Amino acid sequence: MRLLTGVAAAAAAIIVGLAAGAHAEERFITVASTTSTQASGLFEHLLPKFEDKTGIDVRVVAVGTGKAIRMAEKGDADVLFVHHKPSEEKFAAEGFGLERRDVMYNDFVLVGPKSDPAGAGSAGTAAGALRKIAEAEAPFASRGDDSGTNKAELAQWKAAGVDVQGASGHWYRETGAGMGATLNTAAGMDAYTLTDRATWLSFRNRGDLGIVFQGDPALFNQYGVIVVNPERFPHVKADDAQAFADWLVSPDGQETIAEYRTDGDQPFFPNAAGS
């Protein structure tokens, strides 16, 4: 290592100081979001356009919706971008966030062995499909992680009148993991699972899995954005967070979402105009 002395040392100190100042002034926000927006590749498509337009860097923490909400409730994020509307509305109503706005939607699909041993595909509803799986005691892999997908799945089991907690560890297996890991588990077990369509489209290790049931309006999957309340958490970067939320629902942001494709398929459909 070469030591600097005299003028060189002083010049180096100035350069370090300027660099530190530039780093301190770096503009960024933290977005607590879901694994589906990350795993689907949407953020890789979306964020560079926002960052180029505004100079605001977006740092995403992608976890299940439940964990993302708890993170935002502690003030550890500037923006919440998840997909369980009742939980989002509760978050805003309790003062943790500002206005909740619709951004985009897709749907959930039931996947399983292509041979469909439980006959789930012949059901008329998602709840009916799950009931057939329970009656056959066919293996089912659940995220079991309080994510938006897990909440949607549990709602359908309730609609089916099935107590999955009583079957836990038997035919019903909870992975406690994200969607990708749960799909890997389902592929390895030849099990059924419920997944958001965006993650399914980007998932490659499908094994013998295929979509066995889809199209029930009950499987509609809405995404919303909320700026974390700066009155509750003064350190929240409210202006930049609001700029991100506003851009997502703007014509430019909505068009950017609509443009995204996974192998030619559109995984997300913007619908902010209807919010």
Side-chain angles (χ1 to χ4, degrees):
M1 181 176 66
R2 185 166 67 91
L3 298 177
L4 299 178
T5 59
V7 175
I14 292 172
I15 292 170
V16 170
L18 290 173
H23 180 73
E25 294 172 2
E26 181 183 5
R27 291 177 69 186
F28 73 91
I29 56 172
T30 300
V31 175
S33 191
T34 73
T35 58
S36 59
T37 47
Q38 181 85 335
S40 65
L42 177 67
F43 278 140
E44 291 181 15
H45 167 79
L46 199 66
L47 299 186
K49 297 194 177 186
F50 172 74
E51 292 166 354
D52 288 345
K53 186 179 182 71
T54 64
I56 302 169
D57 184 43
V58 180
R59 302 178 182 180
V60 177
V61 180
V63 290
T65 286
K67 290 181 181 178
I69 290 174
R70 289 192 290 275
M71 177 181 170
E73 285 175 344
K74 295 176 183 177
D76 292 336
D78 302 298
V79 178
L80 183 66
F81 185 12
V82 290
H83 65 137
H84 187 252
K85 192 170 183 176
S87 298
E88 296 161 36
E89 291 176 334
K90 181 174 182 286
F91 175 86
E94 292 179 348
F96 291 106
L98 303 182
E99 178 187 11
R100 181 209 167 274
R101 290 185 283 180
D102 286 342
V103 176
M104 61 191 187
Y105 70 92
N106 60 14
D107 63 345
F108 296 106
V109 295
L110 180 66
V111 303
K114 293 174 183 175
S115 61
D116 190 15
S122 65
T125 64
L130 292 183
R131 192 179 302 113
K132 285 179 174 291
I133 291 170
E135 289 170 352
E137 296 191 351
F140 186 96
S142 168
R143 286 181 60 165
D145 63 349
D146 196 34
S147 61
T149 303
N150 184 220
K151 291 174 186 290
E153 175 219 315
L154 292 176
Q156 291 307 305
W157 284 119
K158 183 176 180 181
V162 176
D163 174 22
V164 288
Q165 294 308 311
S168 181
H170 180 33
W171 58 267
Y172 185 79
R173 305 294 180 88
E174 296 155 290
T175 67
M179 197 69 253
T182 301
L183 281 167
N184 279 326
T185 298
M189 294 172 54
D190 283 333
Y192 292 90
T193 192
L194 190 75
T195 176
D196 65 282
R197 189 181 294 272
T199 303
W200 173 251
L201 288 174
S202 63
F203 184 66
R204 295 291 174 262
N205 183 34
R206 296 183 178 184
D208 190 44
L209 298 182
I211 295 176
V212 297
F213 185 89
Q214 61 185 322
D216 187 338
L219 298 180
F220 180 78
N221 183 28
Q222 178 69 53
Y223 289 76
V225 66
I226 309 174
V227 174
V228 177
N229 191 351
E231 291 187 3
R232 190 152 191 159
F233 303 105
H235 61 275
V236 164
K237 298 165 184 172
D239 290 343
D240 287 351
Q242 191 65 59
F244 179 64
D246 289 346
W247 182 78
L248 283 176
V249 302
S250 73
D252 186 30
Q254 293 282 281
E255 183 179 353
T256 302
I257 291 169
E259 289 171 347
Y260 182 58
R261 296 289 186 276
T262 301
D263 293 337
D265 292 309
Q266 183 174 347
F268 298 100
F269 298 83
N271 66 342
S275 62

